Amino acid sequence: MTELAQLLTGPPTFDVEALRKDFPLLQRTVRGGRPLVYLDSGATAQKPLAVLDAERDFYELHNAAVHRGAHQLAEEADELYEGARAKVAAFIGAATDEIVFTKNATEGINLVAYSMSNAATSGPEAARFVVGPGDEVVVSEMEHHSNLVPWQQLCQRTGATLKWFRVDDDGRLDTSDVDSVITERAKVVALVHQSNVVGTVNPLDVIAARAHDVGAVVVIDGAQSVPHMPVDVGALGVDFLAFSGHKMCGPSGVGVLWGRRELLAAMPPFLTGGSMIEIVEMSGTTFMPPPARFEAGVPNTAQAIGLGAAVDYLSGVGMQAIAEHEQALTSYALSRVGALSGVRIIGPVTAEARGATVSFVVDGLHPHDVGQVLDDLGIAVRTGHHCAWPLARRFNIPGTTRATFYLYNTHAEIDTLAEGIDAVQRFFS
Amino acid sequence: MQLESMYQEIILDHYKHPHRRGLREPYDAEVHHVNPACGDEVTLRVRIEGGRVADVSYDGMGCSISQASTSVLTDLVVDQPLEQALAVQEAFLSLMQSRGQAEPDDDLLEDAVAFVGVSQYPARIKCALLGWMAFKDATAQAASRPVTSEGVTA
């Protein structure tokens, strides 16, 4: 570790080297025996043994279809699945019945968007979700496609108008025109909590206050925030929060939609079928209350249980400690990578109100080529527009090279990254 | 470094000094292709005269592989009979799908054989094919246009 690193680190809040042993994949080598430097947790996080064990344990000992059987295995499966729901609820300060298991954050956001278009043909309780011509849906220029395209599509289906917040040159949300972007016509404001490209953490309080003044619901994409910082939905002041299990050390195939109880209760279903019904007759069907109303079919049971184990693991380390560790890594990466000649950080260049996502461009080089040479050195980063194409256009670049850090990353890995970028420049010079 | 098998000197040369870059008139068809996974884009025009590829011009942004392969494409197909150009296109497509196992036809593919290393990296095959698939599309569009009295497609 360099002197600068020591200066910026302060005392470690947990033993990263010991913790890395919990992650079998981090022990492997790549590209001809090089140690893996995994800087792509923003795409998906690696899994600790506790999560792998929880999934395996379910299949080995308790596997049954939940919410159906009366046999012992079914009871055990129910208990584990609902237990995972309770763990996830506690993790974000929610009530258990406000947690809907989905496939991922994308599905959670689509669930809200499709419920809103289904509201037009539902009962009077769903009236506040009806969207039509003259109504407005508000997003931002920094959204991941998963929190942009579903709203574009909602507007297309209903005749509503899409509006958006701009992003300034530092990669911060421009909230100077909040009152003209969110008007009396707004029915929903959908915003990312922490940008997956530039790392910006958005001021949700300012946005939510204005949105609620005009009666709009606030939907937050928490895919990059919930895994990395303490999140308490009681304090956020928003109405819906969607996130993915696989980005927070959990399995792929499970995500979460949290919604305020009274809103979920008034929302019509998105996917329909088994498990979500109350009474079915040939002429029609009534639906269960939430969360069952939004979980049609046999759910991703083992994955949800794995996610429960993941939040136990993260809570064991401590979300505040993880956030502080990532802050230290981010400060260090911004100073090391930012100091390289011919390299430009895209996004906030200081660590305040931003997360551990550091995007950069190298003069004269395409991100794909940068990533390819880094890969040859064993460094896994992501390259391209990161599913946020309008943001790349906003900065007039084809994309970025993006390094993302998590609880298991080290200052030494950032040194390797900085040296790697230097090697990239030499390779193409 | 295994990397040199991908970034062969020929490829880097074409990347730094691309051939026939820029959009030119006249042309018979213009297409715009993108690689949605990474956002690479190419706008490509073809001019067919008397059954031969008279010109291929292009503009776009992308990585070294996509830019170099489009440059190599123009070397191999311009001034060739259309039939021959399409045979080269087919051969290049096969090469890129070979996962590094192909023994490419040097006479047919010339500089394009350098891309055999790229075919070992599944994530980059689409980069190498961007301009080539655009060329195939553009020639098909040019061929479907009605032929004018001068024998030139309009």
Side-chain angles (χ1 to χ4, degrees):
Chain A
M1 200 187 292
T2 65
E3 274 176 40
L4 179 60
Q6 278 159 348
L7 203 67
L8 290 168
T9 320
T13 45
F14 53 87
D15 184 346
V16 180
E17 288 305 330
L19 175 146
R20 285 176 68 86
K21 296 193 172 70
D22 296 336
F23 293 80
L25 188 139
L26 296 180
Q27 319 308 319
R28 69 162 285 183
T29 59
V30 292
R31 298 290 182 214
R34 290 179 180 277
L36 170 66
V37 176
Y38 188 73
L39 304 181
D40 199 19
S41 296
T44 198
Q46 299 304 341
K47 322 302 177 195
L49 269 174
V51 169
L52 308 179
D53 287 346
E55 275 199 272
R56 186 182 184 90
D57 179 74
F58 173 73
Y59 284 126
E60 281 188 348
L61 294 171
H62 313 290
N63 181 44
V66 295
H67 302 151
R68 280 160 178 75
H71 52 75
Q72 184 181 339
L73 291 183
E75 281 176 13
E76 290 173 7
D78 275 4
E79 207 166 299
L80 286 165
Y81 181 69
E82 293 305 325
R85 192 191 309 278
K87 288 178 183 182
V88 171
F91 187 69
I92 59 166
T96 303
D97 62 358
E98 294 176 325
I99 298 295
V100 177
F101 282 125
T102 61
K103 183 171 69 181
N104 46 32
T106 299
E107 187 184 281
I109 294 163
N110 274 277
L111 190 162
V112 179
Y114 274 94
S115 288
M116 293 186 88
S117 45
N118 290 344
T121 49
S122 297
E125 75 285 353
R128 71 167 299 178
F129 295 108
V130 177
V131 173
D135 291 332
E136 293 174 351
V137 173
V138 178
V139 295
S140 87
E141 227 172 12
M142 69 165 76
E143 298 309 314
H144 188 284
H145 297 161
S146 62
N147 201 30
L148 169 60
V149 183
W151 303 114
Q152 289 176 339
Q153 292 290 303
L154 175 67
C155 290
Q156 197 174 312
R157 288 194 300 275
T158 62
T161 302
L162 190 75
K163 294 176 73 175
W164 54 89
F165 283 100
R166 307 247 174 225
V167 170
D168 71 18
D169 290 342
D170 296 328
R172 302 271 183 199
L173 197 70
D174 178 1
T175 55
S176 61
D177 53 355
V178 61
D179 290 346
S180 58
V181 176
I182 303 176
T183 71
E184 304 287 333
R185 294 164 179 265
K187 294 302 282 278
V188 55
V189 177
L191 190 67
V192 67
H193 193 182
Q194 176 181 316
S195 163
N196 74 307
V197 179
V198 290
T200 308
V201 175
N202 285 319
L204 298 188
D205 48 351
V206 175
I207 305 295
R210 171 63 183 167
H212 289 152
D213 276 350
V214 300
V217 297
V218 180
V219 181
I220 298 302
D221 168 5
Q224 299 289 341
S225 60
V226 174
H228 298 283
M229 62 174 86
V231 169
D232 177 354
V233 292
L236 277 191
V238 304
D239 301 306
F240 295 94
L241 175 72
F243 53 98
S244 292
H246 72 95
K247 291 189 201 290
M248 50 193 289
C249 300
S252 55
V254 64
V256 174
L257 175 70
W258 166 82
R260 285 186 191 282
R261 181 183 285 124
E262 66 275 16
L263 292 175
L264 287 176
M267 262 166 57
F270 162 39
L271 300 173
T272 55
S275 296
M276 53 76 70
I277 55 89
E278 200 174 52
I279 298 167
V280 180
E281 295 175 11
M282 289 312 293
S283 54
T285 296
T286 57
F287 308 121
M288 292 281 279
R293 185 188 302 164
F294 302 106
E295 294 182 4
V298 173
N300 30 18
T301 317
Q303 291 78 7
I305 292 164
L307 178 56
V311 302
D312 280 348
Y313 183 86
L314 293 173
S315 299
V317 179
M319 287 309 295
Q320 186 58 39
I322 291 171
E324 285 168 15
H325 175 64
E326 292 187 18
Q327 277 287 300
L329 291 175
T330 305
S331 295
Y332 185 52
L334 289 170
S335 61
R336 282 251 27 204
V337 175
L340 296 170
S341 127
V343 176
R344 183 163 57 101
I345 304 283
I346 303 295
V349 293
T350 58
E352 130 254 351
R354 62 122 63 228
T357 294
V358 175
S359 266
F360 56 92
V361 292
V362 181
D363 286 350
L365 294 179
H366 190 278
H368 255 187
D369 295 315
V370 176
Q372 197 77 53
V373 178
L374 292 177
D375 168 66
D376 203 59
L377 300 168
I379 305 166
V381 292
R382 185 156 168 202
T383 63
H385 53 56
H386 315 298
C387 299
W389 212 337
L391 188 61
R393 292 213 179 84
R394 156 68 182 83
F395 285 100
N396 201 24
I397 50 177
T400 68
T401 304
R402 183 190 75 173
T404 47
F405 314 122
Y406 207 3
L407 71 169
Y408 39 64
N409 289 118
T410 66
H411 286 73
E413 289 180 308
I414 292 169
D415 289 334
T416 307
L417 171 67
E419 289 152 14
I421 297 167
D422 186 52
V424 171
Q425 290 173 312
R426 278 186 277 115
F427 184 81
F428 287 105
S429 67
Chain B
M1 220 186 212
Q2 206 191 346
L3 209 55
E4 265 94 30
S5 75
M6 173 185 292
Y7 292 112
Q8 294 192 23
E9 213 49 52
I10 294 172
I11 295 178
L12 292 177
D13 282 349
H14 275 275
Y15 173 51
K16 289 169 187 165
H17 310 286
H19 301 175
R20 297 184 183 82
R21 194 178 165 84
L23 292 170
R24 289 179 292 277
E25 310 259 354
Y27 61 94
D28 299 304
E30 177 184 287
V31 298
H32 180 70
H33 277 214
V34 300
N35 181 347
C38 58
D40 286 1
E41 304 182 39
V42 66
T43 301
L44 183 141
R45 294 173 174 177
V46 293
R47 172 69 172 171
I48 310 289
E49 283 173 7
R52 298 178 79 83
V53 179
D55 192 22
V56 175
S57 65
Y58 62 97
D59 197 7
M61 58 180 188
C63 64
S64 60
I65 302 300
S66 70
Q67 299 305 295
S69 85
T70 309
S71 171
V72 170
L73 161 85
T74 68
D75 280 357
L76 295 187
V77 301
V78 171
D79 287 335
Q80 295 296 320
L82 182 55
E83 205 171 308
Q84 165 76 5
L86 292 174
V88 173
Q89 198 274 345
E90 278 294 316
F92 188 73
L93 185 60
S94 303
L95 175 70
M96 295 317 298
Q97 291 166 343
S98 73
R99 299 296 298 266
Q101 302 306 307
E103 293 204 6
D105 181 341
D106 289 15
D107 294 336
L108 191 63
L109 285 173
E110 301 180 32
D111 278 3
V113 298
F115 288 86
V116 68
V118 179
S119 75
Q120 293 170 348
Y121 292 83
R124 303 302 295 274
I125 293 169
K126 279 198 170 153
C127 307
L129 287 175
L130 182 67
W132 291 73
M133 299 312 282
F135 172 71
K136 187 180 182 185
D137 187 13
T139 52
Q141 289 192 22
S144 67
R145 301 265 167 90
V147 175
T148 65
S149 54
E150 289 86 33
V152 176
T153 53

